[in-house]
Amino acid sequence: MNKLSMILLLAGALGVSACNNPDRFGAGGADGAGGAGGGIMSAALGDPNDPNSPAYFNQTIGDTVRFAVDQSVLTPESQNVLAGQAQWMNQHPQYNAVVEGHADEQGTREYNIALGARRAAAVQEFLIAQGVSPARLRTVSYGKERPLAICSDEACYAQNRRAVTVITVGGGV
Amino acid sequence: MTPMLRTLCLALAALGLSAMPTLAQNGPLRIVIEEGVIEPLPFAAPGFLAENPSAAEFADQITRVVAADLAGTGLFREIPQSAHIARISNFDAPVSYADWKAINAQALVTGSVALGSDGRLNVKFRLFDVFSGQPMGDGLQFGGGSGNWRRIAHKVADQVYSRITGEGGYFDSRVVFVSESGPKDQRLKRLAIMDYDGANVQYLTDSSAIVLAPRFSPDGNRVLFTSYETGFPRIKMLDIASVTSQPLADLSGNMTFAPRFSPDGGTVIYSVEQGGNTDLYALALGSNQPVRLTNAPSIETAPSFSPDGSRVVFESDRSGTQQLYVMPVGGGEPTRISFGEGRYGTPVWSPRGDLIAFTKQNAGRFHIGVMRADGSEERLLTASFLDEGPTWAPNGRVIMFTRESAGAGGSAQLYSVDISGRNLRAVPTEGAASDPAWSPLLP
């Protein structure tokens, strides 16, 4: 737990609010690309080569799966990623997760919330089928409110139609 | 019916705006219809007279707001004061119709403003049909605190609009909306309320949590909205006077969104998500016992009551894509009403009951449109990269909605359009704005 203690310490020092915050590890894939803020967070997340670190979960396994337009079906590639996520969660019971569902901007606001919820639930169901306890998983939909990529064409939309598994410290869900 | 009213009715009927029969042309017609565009009715609004020196500034400002309200409808055109021949020097003196006729003013609005030592304004106005040489209705006066001078002006303009069009007014009303700032991937959102014309903005929440889609109660005193302050989308209810809000009910464990009040204000209908499936529920205010209205594996959301409270229109993707359905208020078999190409969402029943406004997506474009409650007579009023979320003016003649521009620098702006598709205009707001909801007419 030394590493975890360090994470919490750093998170506290950075003013990241405490438990119940689904964004506590930096909104999942949002910091994976290593932007200005991403550099700071990945120090706190540990080494992506350390299989016990959140960074390993986020970056090496991959915390994000993508969806086709208006779909919530998991592709074979997505299932591989999620199988890795489930295995990691099964090996690290001290973590829970919030699965965030997102949609691209090509839809009305409320429908997109419902669509994002479908995507998050598809991931949740897959993780449960792989042995993760339902009690460790929650879902939230952001609809089109939190795009990852901000252009208005398919290159960005494809990145925004996603579900991100955001791991949190146990007991916080 | 005066010639002026007859003229405007003729124009409205030609646009499909009114069920009134098209009348034979007689009297002085001044509205010319060419390719579906009506010539706005010219009016004169000479500066309202100040009955005491301290009222002068108010008199001037009130005149400007009355004229702006009328001209903003697209149905009226102001003849600038510089073109006036006659001067009004006494509110009660007879009107020299010939002088107003000479500048082709069909309607004449005169007024006077007094400011009492107690800080209260008294505003009188009269409306004249210049070409028939008669007053239209009796003069009226409105009293109120000087801080309410804009509202008084809107009430005058509502009277003028109503007397000439035969429709209810909508100027003395407010709009609650989401004020937006920050970059597209980290948008900050907060609830705000303003007059229908963008004046008197007041913020109702801070931007610490995402807030979405506010909706007025029928009395205009409360607002339902969706907030992420718990980390999950949940419906809250806000009291405007005290600017305090609370969760709608203890609906733990679920995402709740898309709320709307019943016409009597006693029930809220909304969407609940469970296990990836979204259905409609109704909750009587004061109870903690939601009633499930739909039970399908598809997405059911964006419900809106008919104004008589007997039916609900909503969107569902049970057919494979988003479409509009109507069901009895207590649930039951829904009837699909949208059958055109593309997808339909965010249906909102007109306060008059005659039309349902919606968002349509087709071939990569978004539209605001209206259709009859049975789905017939669909017409699209707008087209853009992203138009969504219509809300009705209290008189059911004008729609406000969100238009979002494309790209990394894209942002949202409020627009209004009338139900003929004419008079599309941006609603002025300080910054980016989305999700408007129009209040009822203020008392």
Coordinates of all heavy atoms in Angstrom, one line a residue, chain B residues 60-145:
Chain B
D60 N -38.1 57.7 -21.8 CA -37.3 57.4 -23.0 C -37.0 55.9 -23.2 O -37.2 55.3 -24.2 CB -36.0 58.2 -23.0 CG -35.3 58.1 -24.3 OD1 -35.9 58.3 -25.3 OD2 -34.0 57.9 -24.2
Q61 N -36.5 55.3 -22.1 CA -36.1 53.9 -22.1 C -37.4 53.0 -22.3 O -37.3 52.0 -23.0 CB -35.5 53.5 -20.8 CG -34.1 54.2 -20.5 CD -33.1 53.8 -21.6 OE1 -33.0 52.7 -22.0 NE2 -32.3 54.8 -22.0
I62 N -38.5 53.3 -21.7 CA -39.7 52.5 -21.9 C -40.2 52.6 -23.3 O -40.5 51.5 -23.9 CB -40.8 53.0 -20.9 CG1 -40.4 52.6 -19.4 CG2 -42.2 52.4 -21.2 CD1 -41.3 53.2 -18.4
T63 N -40.1 53.7 -23.9 CA -40.5 53.8 -25.3 C -39.6 52.9 -26.2 O -40.1 52.2 -27.1 CB -40.3 55.3 -25.8 OG1 -40.9 56.2 -24.9 CG2 -41.0 55.4 -27.2
R64 N -38.3 52.9 -25.9 CA -37.4 52.1 -26.7 C -37.7 50.6 -26.5 O -37.6 49.8 -27.5 CB -35.9 52.4 -26.3 CG -35.3 53.7 -26.6 CD -35.9 54.5 -27.7 NE -36.0 53.8 -28.9 CZ -37.0 54.0 -29.9 NH1 -37.9 54.9 -29.7 NH2 -37.0 53.3 -31.0
V65 N -38.0 50.2 -25.3 CA -38.2 48.8 -25.1 C -39.5 48.3 -25.7 O -39.6 47.3 -26.4 CB -38.2 48.4 -23.6 CG1 -38.8 47.0 -23.3 CG2 -36.8 48.6 -23.0
V66 N -40.6 49.2 -25.7 CA -41.8 48.9 -26.3 C -41.6 48.7 -27.8 O -42.0 47.7 -28.4 CB -42.9 50.0 -26.1 CG1 -44.1 49.7 -26.9 CG2 -43.3 50.0 -24.6
A67 N -40.9 49.7 -28.4 CA -40.6 49.6 -29.9 C -39.8 48.4 -30.2 O -40.0 47.7 -31.2 CB -40.0 50.9 -30.3
A68 N -38.8 48.1 -29.4 CA -37.9 46.9 -29.7 C -38.7 45.6 -29.6 O -38.5 44.7 -30.4 CB -36.7 46.9 -28.7
D69 N -39.6 45.5 -28.6 CA -40.4 44.3 -28.5 C -41.2 44.1 -29.7 O -41.3 43.0 -30.3 CB -41.4 44.4 -27.3 CG -40.7 44.2 -25.9 OD1 -39.6 43.6 -25.9 OD2 -41.4 44.5 -24.9
L70 N -41.9 45.1 -30.2 CA -42.7 45.0 -31.3 C -41.9 44.7 -32.6 O -42.3 43.8 -33.4 CB -43.6 46.3 -31.5 CG -44.6 46.5 -30.4 CD1 -45.2 47.9 -30.6 CD2 -45.7 45.5 -30.4
A71 N -40.9 45.5 -32.8 CA -40.1 45.3 -34.0 C -39.4 43.9 -34.0 O -39.2 43.3 -35.1 CB -39.0 46.4 -34.2
G72 N -39.1 43.4 -32.8 CA -38.4 42.1 -32.7 C -39.2 40.9 -33.1 O -38.7 39.8 -33.3
T73 N -40.5 41.1 -33.2 CA -41.4 40.0 -33.6 C -41.3 39.8 -35.1 O -41.7 38.7 -35.6 CB -42.9 40.3 -33.3 OG1 -43.2 41.4 -34.1 CG2 -43.1 40.6 -31.9
G74 N -40.7 40.8 -35.9 CA -40.7 40.7 -37.3 C -42.1 41.0 -37.9 O -42.2 41.0 -39.2
L75 N -43.1 41.2 -37.1 CA -44.4 41.5 -37.6 C -44.7 43.0 -37.8 O -45.6 43.4 -38.4 CB -45.5 40.9 -36.7 CG -45.5 39.3 -36.6 CD1 -46.5 38.9 -35.5 CD2 -45.9 38.7 -37.9
F76 N -43.8 43.7 -37.1 CA -44.0 45.2 -37.1 C -42.7 45.9 -37.4 O -41.6 45.3 -37.2 CB -44.3 45.6 -35.6 CG -45.6 45.0 -35.1 CD1 -45.6 43.9 -34.4 CD2 -46.8 45.6 -35.4 CE1 -46.7 43.3 -33.9 CE2 -48.0 45.0 -34.9 CZ -47.9 43.9 -34.1
R77 N -42.8 47.1 -38.0 CA -41.6 47.8 -38.4 C -41.8 49.2 -37.8 O -42.8 49.9 -38.0 CB -41.4 47.9 -39.9 CG -40.3 48.8 -40.3 CD -40.1 48.7 -41.8 NE -41.3 49.2 -42.6 CZ -41.6 50.5 -42.8 NH1 -40.8 51.4 -42.4 NH2 -42.6 50.8 -43.6
E78 N -40.8 49.7 -37.0 CA -40.9 51.0 -36.4 C -40.6 52.1 -37.4 O -39.5 52.0 -38.1 CB -40.0 51.2 -35.2 CG -40.3 52.5 -34.5 CD -39.3 52.8 -33.4 OE1 -38.3 52.1 -33.2 OE2 -39.6 53.8 -32.6
I79 N -41.4 53.1 -37.5 CA -41.1 54.3 -38.3 C -40.3 55.2 -37.4 O -40.7 55.6 -36.3 CB -42.3 55.0 -38.8 CG1 -43.1 54.1 -39.8 CG2 -42.0 56.4 -39.5 CD1 -44.4 54.6 -40.1
P80 N -39.0 55.5 -37.7 CA -38.1 56.2 -36.8 C -38.7 57.6 -36.4 O -39.4 58.2 -37.2 CB -36.8 56.4 -37.6 CG -37.1 56.1 -39.0 CD -38.4 55.2 -39.0
Q81 N -38.4 58.0 -35.2 CA -39.0 59.2 -34.7 C -38.6 60.4 -35.6 O -39.3 61.4 -35.7 CB -38.6 59.4 -33.2 CG -39.3 58.4 -32.3 CD -38.9 58.6 -30.8 OE1 -38.2 59.5 -30.5 NE2 -39.5 57.8 -30.0
S82 N -37.4 60.3 -36.2 CA -37.0 61.5 -37.0 C -37.9 61.7 -38.2 O -37.9 62.8 -38.8 CB -35.5 61.2 -37.5 OG -35.5 60.0 -38.3
A83 N -38.7 60.7 -38.6 CA -39.6 60.8 -39.7 C -41.0 61.3 -39.3 O -41.8 61.5 -40.2 CB -39.7 59.5 -40.5
H84 N -41.2 61.4 -38.0 CA -42.5 61.8 -37.6 C -42.8 63.3 -37.9 O -41.9 64.1 -37.8 CB -42.7 61.7 -36.0 CG -42.6 60.2 -35.6 ND1 -42.8 59.9 -34.3 CD2 -42.3 59.1 -36.2 CE1 -42.6 58.5 -34.1 NE2 -42.3 58.1 -35.3
I85 N -44.0 63.6 -38.3 CA -44.4 64.9 -38.6 C -45.1 65.6 -37.4 O -44.7 66.6 -36.9 CB -45.4 65.0 -39.8 CG1 -44.8 64.4 -41.1 CG2 -45.9 66.4 -40.0 CD1 -45.8 64.2 -42.2
A86 N -46.0 64.8 -36.8 CA -46.7 65.3 -35.6 C -45.9 65.1 -34.4 O -45.0 64.2 -34.3 CB -48.1 64.5 -35.5
R87 N -46.1 65.9 -33.4 CA -45.5 65.7 -32.1 C -46.6 65.5 -31.1 O -47.6 66.2 -31.1 CB -44.7 66.9 -31.7 CG -43.4 67.2 -32.6 CD -42.3 66.3 -32.1 NE -41.1 66.4 -32.9 CZ -40.9 65.5 -34.0 NH1 -41.7 64.6 -34.3 NH2 -39.8 65.7 -34.7
I88 N -46.4 64.6 -30.2 CA -47.4 64.4 -29.1 C -47.0 65.3 -27.9 O -45.9 65.1 -27.4 CB -47.5 62.9 -28.7 CG1 -47.8 62.0 -29.8 CG2 -48.5 62.7 -27.5 CD1 -49.2 62.0 -30.4
S89 N -47.8 66.2 -27.6 CA -47.4 67.1 -26.5 C -48.3 66.9 -25.3 O -48.0 67.4 -24.2 CB -47.3 68.5 -26.9 OG -48.5 68.9 -27.5
N90 N -49.4 66.2 -25.5 CA -50.4 66.0 -24.4 C -51.0 64.6 -24.6 O -51.6 64.3 -25.7 CB -51.5 67.1 -24.5 CG -52.5 66.9 -23.4 OD1 -52.7 65.9 -22.8 ND2 -53.2 68.0 -23.1
F91 N -50.8 63.7 -23.7 CA -51.3 62.4 -23.8 C -52.8 62.3 -24.0 O -53.2 61.3 -24.7 CB -50.9 61.6 -22.5 CG -51.4 60.2 -22.5 CD1 -50.8 59.2 -23.3 CD2 -52.4 59.8 -21.6 CE1 -51.2 57.9 -23.3 CE2 -52.8 58.4 -21.6 CZ -52.2 57.5 -22.4
D92 N -53.5 63.2 -23.5 CA -55.0 63.2 -23.7 C -55.5 64.0 -24.8 O -56.8 64.0 -25.1 CB -55.6 63.7 -22.4 CG -55.3 62.8 -21.2 OD1 -55.4 61.5 -21.4 OD2 -54.9 63.2 -20.1
A93 N -54.7 64.7 -25.6 CA -55.1 65.5 -26.7 C -55.5 64.6 -27.9 O -55.0 63.5 -28.0 CB -54.1 66.5 -27.1
P94 N -56.5 65.1 -28.7 CA -56.9 64.3 -29.9 C -55.7 64.0 -30.8 O -54.8 64.9 -30.9 CB -57.9 65.2 -30.6 CG -58.3 66.2 -29.6 CD -57.2 66.4 -28.6
V95 N -55.7 62.9 -31.5 CA -54.6 62.5 -32.4 C -54.8 63.1 -33.8 O -56.0 63.0 -34.3 CB -54.5 61.0 -32.4 CG1 -53.5 60.5 -33.6 CG2 -54.0 60.4 -31.1
S96 N -53.8 63.7 -34.4 CA -54.0 64.2 -35.7 C -53.6 63.0 -36.7 O -52.5 62.9 -37.1 CB -53.1 65.4 -36.0 OG -51.7 65.0 -35.6
Y97 N -54.7 62.2 -37.0 CA -54.4 61.0 -37.8 C -53.8 61.3 -39.1 O -52.9 60.5 -39.6 CB -55.8 60.3 -38.0 CG -56.3 59.7 -36.8 CD1 -57.5 60.2 -36.1 CD2 -55.7 58.5 -36.2 CE1 -58.0 59.6 -35.0 CE2 -56.3 58.0 -35.0 CZ -57.4 58.5 -34.4 OH -57.9 57.9 -33.3
A98 N -54.1 62.4 -39.7 CA -53.6 62.7 -41.1 C -52.1 62.8 -41.0 O -51.4 62.3 -42.0 CB -54.1 64.1 -41.6
D99 N -51.5 63.3 -40.0 CA -50.0 63.4 -39.9 C -49.4 62.1 -39.8 O -48.2 61.9 -40.2 CB -49.6 64.3 -38.7 CG -49.9 65.8 -38.9 OD1 -50.2 66.1 -40.0 OD2 -50.0 66.5 -37.9
W100 N -50.0 61.1 -39.1 CA -49.5 59.8 -39.0 C -49.7 59.0 -40.3 O -48.9 58.1 -40.7 CB -50.1 59.1 -37.8 CG -49.7 59.8 -36.5 CD1 -50.6 60.6 -35.8 CD2 -48.4 59.9 -35.9 NE1 -49.9 61.1 -34.7 CE2 -48.6 60.8 -34.8 CE3 -47.2 59.4 -36.2 CZ2 -47.5 61.1 -33.9 CZ3 -46.1 59.8 -35.4 CH2 -46.3 60.6 -34.3
K101 N -50.9 59.2 -40.9 CA -51.2 58.6 -42.2 C -50.1 59.0 -43.2 O -49.7 58.2 -44.1 CB -52.6 59.0 -42.6 CG -53.4 57.9 -43.3 CD -54.7 58.5 -43.8 CE -55.8 58.2 -42.7 NZ -57.2 58.6 -43.2
A102 N -49.7 60.3 -43.1 CA -48.8 60.9 -44.1 C -47.5 60.1 -44.1 O -46.8 60.0 -45.1 CB -48.6 62.3 -43.9
I103 N -47.1 59.6 -43.0 CA -45.8 58.9 -42.9 C -46.1 57.4 -42.9 O -45.2 56.6 -42.7 CB -45.0 59.2 -41.7 CG1 -45.7 58.9 -40.4 CG2 -44.6 60.7 -41.7 CD1 -44.8 59.0 -39.1
N104 N -47.3 57.0 -43.2 CA -47.7 55.6 -43.5 C -47.6 54.8 -42.2 O -47.4 53.6 -42.3 CB -46.8 55.0 -44.6 CG -47.4 53.8 -45.2 OD1 -48.6 53.6 -45.1 ND2 -46.5 52.9 -45.6
A105 N -47.8 55.4 -41.1 CA -47.9 54.6 -39.8 C -49.3 54.0 -39.7 O -50.3 54.7 -39.8 CB -47.6 55.5 -38.6
Q106 N -49.4 52.7 -39.6 CA -50.7 52.1 -39.5 C -51.1 52.0 -38.1 O -52.3 52.1 -37.8 CB -50.7 50.6 -40.1 CG -50.4 50.6 -41.5 CD -51.1 49.5 -42.2 OE1 -52.1 49.0 -41.7 NE2 -50.7 49.1 -43.4
A107 N -50.2 51.8 -37.2 CA -50.5 51.8 -35.7 C -49.7 52.9 -35.1 O -48.6 53.2 -35.4 CB -50.1 50.5 -35.1
L108 N -50.3 53.6 -34.1 CA -49.7 54.6 -33.3 C -49.8 54.3 -31.8 O -50.9 54.0 -31.3 CB -50.4 55.9 -33.6 CG -50.0 57.1 -32.7 CD1 -48.5 57.5 -32.9 CD2 -50.9 58.3 -32.9
V109 N -48.7 54.2 -31.2 CA -48.6 54.0 -29.7 C -48.2 55.2 -29.0 O -47.1 55.8 -29.3 CB -47.6 52.8 -29.4 CG1 -47.7 52.5 -27.9 CG2 -47.9 51.6 -30.2
T110 N -49.0 55.7 -28.1 CA -48.6 56.9 -27.3 C -48.6 56.5 -25.9 O -49.3 55.6 -25.4 CB -49.6 58.1 -27.5 OG1 -50.9 57.7 -27.0 CG2 -49.7 58.4 -29.0
G111 N -47.8 57.3 -25.1 CA -47.8 56.9 -23.7 C -47.3 58.1 -22.8 O -46.8 59.1 -23.4
S112 N -47.5 58.0 -21.5 CA -46.9 58.9 -20.6 C -46.4 58.2 -19.4 O -46.9 57.1 -19.0 CB -48.0 60.0 -20.2 OG -48.9 59.4 -19.3
V113 N -45.4 58.8 -18.7 CA -44.7 58.1 -17.6 C -44.6 59.2 -16.5 O -44.2 60.3 -16.7 CB -43.3 57.6 -18.0 CG1 -42.6 57.0 -16.8 CG2 -43.4 56.7 -19.2
A114 N -45.1 58.8 -15.3 CA -44.9 59.6 -14.1 C -44.1 58.8 -13.1 O -44.3 57.6 -12.9 CB -46.2 60.0 -13.5
L115 N -43.1 59.5 -12.4 CA -42.4 58.8 -11.3 C -42.8 59.5 -10.0 O -42.6 60.7 -9.8 CB -40.9 59.0 -11.6 CG -40.0 58.4 -10.5 CD1 -40.1 56.9 -10.4 CD2 -38.5 58.7 -10.8
G116 N -43.4 58.7 -9.1 CA -43.8 59.3 -7.9 C -42.7 59.5 -6.9 O -41.6 58.9 -7.1
S117 N -42.9 60.3 -5.9 CA -41.9 60.5 -4.9 C -41.6 59.2 -4.1 O -40.5 59.0 -3.5 CB -42.3 61.6 -3.9 OG -43.6 61.2 -3.3
D118 N -42.5 58.2 -4.2 CA -42.3 56.9 -3.5 C -41.5 56.0 -4.4 O -41.3 54.8 -4.1 CB -43.6 56.3 -3.1 CG -44.5 56.1 -4.4 OD1 -44.2 56.6 -5.5 OD2 -45.6 55.6 -4.2
G119 N -41.0 56.5 -5.6 CA -40.2 55.6 -6.4 C -41.0 54.7 -7.3 O -40.5 53.8 -8.0
R120 N -42.4 54.9 -7.3 CA -43.2 54.1 -8.2 C -43.5 54.8 -9.5 O -43.6 56.0 -9.6 CB -44.5 53.8 -7.5 CG -44.4 52.7 -6.4 CD -45.7 52.4 -5.8 NE -46.6 51.7 -6.6 CZ -46.6 50.4 -6.9 NH1 -45.7 49.6 -6.4 NH2 -47.5 49.9 -7.7
L121 N -43.5 54.0 -10.6 CA -43.8 54.5 -11.9 C -45.2 54.3 -12.2 O -45.8 53.2 -11.8 CB -43.0 53.7 -13.0 CG -41.5 54.0 -13.1 CD1 -40.8 53.0 -14.0 CD2 -41.3 55.4 -13.7
N122 N -45.8 55.2 -12.9 CA -47.2 55.0 -13.5 C -47.1 55.3 -15.0 O -46.7 56.4 -15.4 CB -48.2 56.0 -12.8 CG -49.6 55.6 -13.2 OD1 -50.0 54.5 -12.9 ND2 -50.3 56.5 -13.9
V123 N -47.4 54.3 -15.7 CA -47.2 54.3 -17.2 C -48.6 54.1 -17.9 O -49.2 53.1 -17.6 CB -46.2 53.2 -17.7 CG1 -46.1 53.3 -19.2 CG2 -44.9 53.4 -17.0
K124 N -48.9 55.1 -18.7 CA -50.2 55.0 -19.4 C -49.9 54.9 -20.9 O -48.9 55.4 -21.4 CB -51.0 56.3 -19.3 CG -51.4 56.7 -17.8 CD -52.1 58.0 -17.9 CE -52.2 58.6 -16.5 NZ -52.6 60.0 -16.5
F125 N -50.8 54.2 -21.6 CA -50.5 54.1 -23.1 C -51.9 54.0 -23.8 O -52.9 53.6 -23.2 CB -49.7 52.9 -23.5 CG -50.4 51.7 -23.7 CD1 -50.8 51.3 -25.0 CD2 -50.8 50.9 -22.6 CE1 -51.6 50.1 -25.2 CE2 -51.6 49.7 -22.8 CZ -51.9 49.3 -24.1
R126 N -51.9 54.5 -25.1 CA -53.0 54.3 -25.9 C -52.5 53.8 -27.3 O -51.4 54.0 -27.7 CB -53.7 55.6 -26.2 CG -54.5 56.1 -25.0 CD -55.6 57.1 -25.4 NE -56.4 57.4 -24.2 CZ -56.3 58.5 -23.5 NH1 -55.3 59.4 -23.8 NH2 -57.0 58.8 -22.5
L127 N -53.4 53.0 -27.9 CA -53.1 52.5 -29.2 C -54.1 52.9 -30.2 O -55.3 52.9 -29.9 CB -53.1 50.9 -29.2 CG -52.9 50.2 -30.5 CD1 -51.6 50.4 -31.1 CD2 -53.1 48.7 -30.3
F128 N -53.7 53.4 -31.4 CA -54.6 53.9 -32.4 C -54.4 53.2 -33.7 O -53.3 52.9 -34.1 CB -54.3 55.4 -32.6 CG -54.5 56.2 -31.4 CD1 -53.4 56.5 -30.6 CD2 -55.7 56.7 -31.0 CE1 -53.6 57.3 -29.4 CE2 -55.9 57.5 -29.9 CZ -54.8 57.8 -29.0
D129 N -55.5 53.0 -34.4 CA -55.5 52.5 -35.8 C -55.6 53.7 -36.7 O -56.6 54.3 -36.8 CB -56.7 51.5 -36.0 CG -56.8 51.0 -37.4 OD1 -56.1 51.6 -38.3 OD2 -57.5 50.0 -37.6
V130 N -54.5 54.1 -37.2 CA -54.4 55.4 -37.9 C -55.3 55.4 -39.1 O -56.0 56.4 -39.3 CB -52.9 55.6 -38.4 CG1 -52.8 56.8 -39.3 CG2 -52.0 55.8 -37.1
F131 N -55.4 54.4 -39.9 CA -56.1 54.5 -41.2 C -57.6 54.4 -41.0 O -58.4 54.9 -41.8 CB -55.6 53.4 -42.2 CG -54.3 53.9 -42.8 CD1 -53.1 53.8 -42.1 CD2 -54.3 54.4 -44.1 CE1 -52.0 54.2 -42.7 CE2 -53.2 54.9 -44.7 CZ -52.0 54.8 -44.0
S132 N -58.1 53.8 -39.9 CA -59.5 53.9 -39.6 C -59.8 55.1 -38.7 O -61.0 55.3 -38.4 CB -60.0 52.6 -39.0 OG -59.5 52.4 -37.7
G133 N -58.8 55.7 -38.2 CA -59.0 56.9 -37.4 C -59.6 56.7 -36.1 O -60.5 57.4 -35.6
Q134 N -59.3 55.5 -35.4 CA -59.9 55.2 -34.2 C -58.9 54.6 -33.2 O -57.9 54.0 -33.6 CB -61.0 54.1 -34.4 CG -62.1 54.3 -35.3 CD -62.8 53.1 -35.6 OE1 -62.9 52.2 -34.8 NE2 -63.4 53.0 -36.8
P135 N -59.2 54.8 -31.9 CA -58.4 54.1 -30.9 C -58.7 52.6 -31.0 O -59.8 52.2 -31.4 CB -58.9 54.6 -29.5 CG -60.1 55.4 -29.8 CD -60.3 55.6 -31.3
M136 N -57.7 51.8 -30.7 CA -57.9 50.3 -30.6 C -57.9 50.0 -29.1 O -56.9 49.8 -28.5 CB -56.7 49.5 -31.3 CG -56.8 49.5 -32.8 SD -55.5 48.4 -33.4 CE -56.3 46.8 -33.2
G137 N -59.1 49.8 -28.6 CA -59.3 49.5 -27.2 C -59.1 50.8 -26.4 O -58.8 51.9 -26.9
D138 N -59.3 50.6 -25.1 CA -59.2 51.8 -24.2 C -57.7 52.0 -23.8 O -56.9 51.0 -23.9 CB -60.0 51.5 -22.9 CG -61.5 51.4 -23.2 OD1 -61.9 52.1 -24.2 OD2 -62.2 50.7 -22.5
G139 N -57.4 53.2 -23.4 CA -56.1 53.4 -22.8 C -56.0 52.6 -21.5 O -57.0 52.2 -20.9
L140 N -54.7 52.3 -21.1 CA -54.5 51.5 -20.0 C -53.3 52.1 -19.2 O -52.5 52.7 -19.8 CB -54.0 50.0 -20.3 CG -55.1 48.9 -20.4 CD1 -54.3 47.6 -20.7 CD2 -55.9 48.8 -19.1
Q141 N -53.3 51.8 -17.9 CA -52.1 52.3 -17.1 C -51.6 51.1 -16.3 O -52.3 50.3 -15.8 CB -52.4 53.5 -16.3 CG -53.5 53.3 -15.3 CD -53.8 54.6 -14.5 OE1 -52.8 55.5 -14.4 NE2 -55.0 54.8 -14.1
F142 N -50.3 51.1 -16.1 CA -49.6 50.1 -15.3 C -48.8 50.9 -14.2 O -48.1 51.9 -14.5 CB -48.6 49.3 -16.2 CG -49.3 48.5 -17.2 CD1 -49.4 48.9 -18.5 CD2 -49.9 47.3 -16.9 CE1 -50.0 48.2 -19.5 CE2 -50.5 46.5 -17.9 CZ -50.6 46.9 -19.2
G143 N -48.8 50.4 -13.0 CA -48.0 50.9 -12.0 C -47.0 49.9 -11.5 O -47.3 48.7 -11.5
G144 N -45.9 50.3 -11.0 CA -44.9 49.4 -10.4 C -43.7 50.1 -10.0 O -43.5 51.3 -10.3
G145 N -42.8 49.5 -9.2 CA -41.6 50.1 -8.8 C -40.7 50.4 -10.0 O -40.8 49.7 -11.0

